[in-house]
Amino acid sequence: MLGLLARAGTEPGAAGRPLAVPASEVPLVCTVVRLAAHAPGDSDSDADDQWLVLVTPAETAAEAVERDSERRRKGLSHAAAASIGASLDVTDMARILVNLLVPDFADLATVDLAEPVLVGDAPAHLDASGDVRLRRTAAAQSPGISAEDLLPVGEALPPVPDTEVMRPLMAGRPVLVSDVAVLRATLGVDPETLRLFVPSGAHSSVAVPLYARGLILGCVTVWRSQLPSAFGEEDAALLQDIASRAALGVDNARRYTKEHLSVVALQRSLLPCSALDFAAAETVGVYQPAGGGLGVGGDWFDVSAECLSRQRSSKCGPAACSRSSRTDSSRAAAATSRREWRD
């Protein structure tokens, strides 16, 4: 080994090379770095240069895979912190989540949400997986992944029996499947239904419930087929952390959807008819909602029978009208109006 180090030291710059050490099964990497050099003409040019020799165990293939996996996990964690919660739309939140997971962490990812969540309602507290009704809300896959047989986005998932593999999900815990063949045998559904759940060629999977404020809002599931390493405990823990953040984001979006739909329904219920035909006047009603983010609820105008009665009795000119207005979009704003009478 010393002879190899001597030859490596004659080459300029740093060099790293594997060395076979007798009676050792551990490959080594030798790095030689010149610490001091002398230019021609220096008085000490004949002196020996100084070198730093560093011998370390070489990285094995397994260690290289683990290092790459750790890099992917750190990158995913940082990206999740930056992107999750950026939208108040339930469907957009699901799309953000699957696009975050593919392709660095998984080859295929799906998000299935409880049907009440999609319309802003809270899902019921259920104990058995067979009672859960989910709808596929978002999916993403790496290029080259075959997913034609999987349930498409927008379709309702068939009920899954309350088996051992499903019970942790109902309790808010992740399910790690290192061998998909085991999942095929224990899921408890017929072969046709199984094709809707399990992609062909997948070798491992992790499913994590979207659990927030004591409610199971849905489930995120990831699969690997092209990525060589199977999902492990660290991957499951990372996905659970990301899913917990996403669940809060989905729940916030759900609550916003509920409030928004309530406000819109209440405002529209207070609108006048689009056109009225009185003996004294013809009227037209119009409602123009303000654009998103402006913080106003819009105005509407109306002519009432009381106004027309006043017009006929006073024999005045133009008909009187009322204007209703509020400067925000809350439910209180929709239910309350300020009336201004004009003759």
Side-chain angles (χ1 to χ4, degrees):
M1 185 174 71
L2 293 178
L4 290 175
L5 294 180
R7 290 196 300 273
T10 61
E11 301 174 359
R17 62 187 64 203
L19 298 176
V21 180
S24 174
E25 296 180 355
V26 179
L28 301 177
V29 170
C30 172
T31 303
V32 180
V33 181
R34 178 177 293 181
L35 297 179
H38 302 278
D42 289 350
S43 57
D44 296 332
S45 59
D46 294 335
D48 293 335
D49 293 334
Q50 297 181 3
W51 298 84
L52 173 65
V53 179
L54 181 64
V55 180
T56 57
E59 185 179 55
T60 63
E63 291 171 339
V65 170
E66 179 57 31
R67 179 170 56 84
D68 182 66
S69 298
E70 182 64 23
R71 177 189 61 81
R72 293 172 183 266
R73 285 192 290 266
K74 288 183 178 180
L76 178 59
S77 180
H78 294 159
S83 59
I84 290 179
S87 175
L88 285 176
D89 183 87
V90 173
T91 303
D92 284 347
M93 278 294 305
R95 293 195 189 105
I96 289 172
L97 182 55
V98 295
N99 291 330
L100 183 69
L101 297 171
V102 176
D104 286 340
F105 184 73
D107 292 312
L108 187 145
T110 60
V111 171
D112 307 312
L113 296 180
E115 293 187 345
V117 173
L118 297 173
V119 294
D121 294 331
H125 291 272
L126 301 174
D127 297 325
S129 61
D131 299 329
V132 177
R133 295 296 179 265
L134 301 179
R135 187 169 294 274
R136 179 132 307 164
T137 310
Q141 63 193 68
S142 299
I145 298 297
S146 176
E148 292 83 2
D149 294 333
L150 287 182
L151 190 74
V153 172
E155 295 294 325
L157 271 71
V160 179
D162 190 35
T163 58
E164 289 291 336
V165 72
M166 297 299 297
R167 286 169 191 161
L169 293 176
M170 300 304 298
R173 302 193 305 272
V175 172
L176 169 63
V177 179
S178 300
D179 185 358
V180 170
V182 176
L183 179 64
R184 295 178 184 274
T186 58
L187 197 56
V189 296
D190 59 83
E192 286 298 320
T193 304
L194 189 64
R195 295 171 56 190
L196 300 176
F197 286 102
V198 182
S200 60
H203 58 72
S204 61
S205 173
V206 180
V208 179
L210 295 173
Y211 190 80
R213 299 183 177 95
L215 299 173
I216 296 180
L217 308 177
C219 182
V220 54
T221 308
V222 294
W223 307 84
R224 281 182 180 173
S225 55
Q226 291 181 341
L227 294 172
S229 59
F231 287 113
E233 294 292 343
E234 293 183 351
D235 297 313
L238 174 60
L239 185 59
Q240 185 176 22
D241 178 65
I242 293 173
S244 65
R245 300 183 193 181
L248 290 176
V250 168
D251 193 54
N252 289 337
R254 175 194 68 80
R255 298 167 87 178
Y256 171 81
T257 300
K258 183 179 181 62
E259 294 291 329
H260 177 72
L261 293 177
S262 299
V263 168
V264 170
L266 188 54
Q267 284 181 333
R268 293 194 179 279
S269 70
L270 297 176
L271 297 181
C273 297
S274 59
L276 296 174
D277 187 7
F278 289 104
E282 292 183 358
T283 68
V284 175
V286 63
Y287 171 61
Q288 180 60 50
L294 296 181
V296 296
D299 300 339
W300 60 86
F301 300 84
D302 191 16
V303 176
S304 68
E306 180 181 354
C307 297
L308 295 174
S309 176
R310 291 177 59 206
Q311 178 197 8
R312 287 193 293 268
S313 62
S314 61
K315 297 181 180 181
C316 56
C321 69
S322 64
R323 178 175 69 87
S324 299
S325 173
R326 275 302 294 258
T327 57
D328 62 77
S329 55
S330 64
R331 279 185 286 185
T336 308
S337 63
R338 181 176 74 250
R339 294 188 175 273
E340 298 179 358
W341 297 92
R342 295 180 182 178
D343 294 329

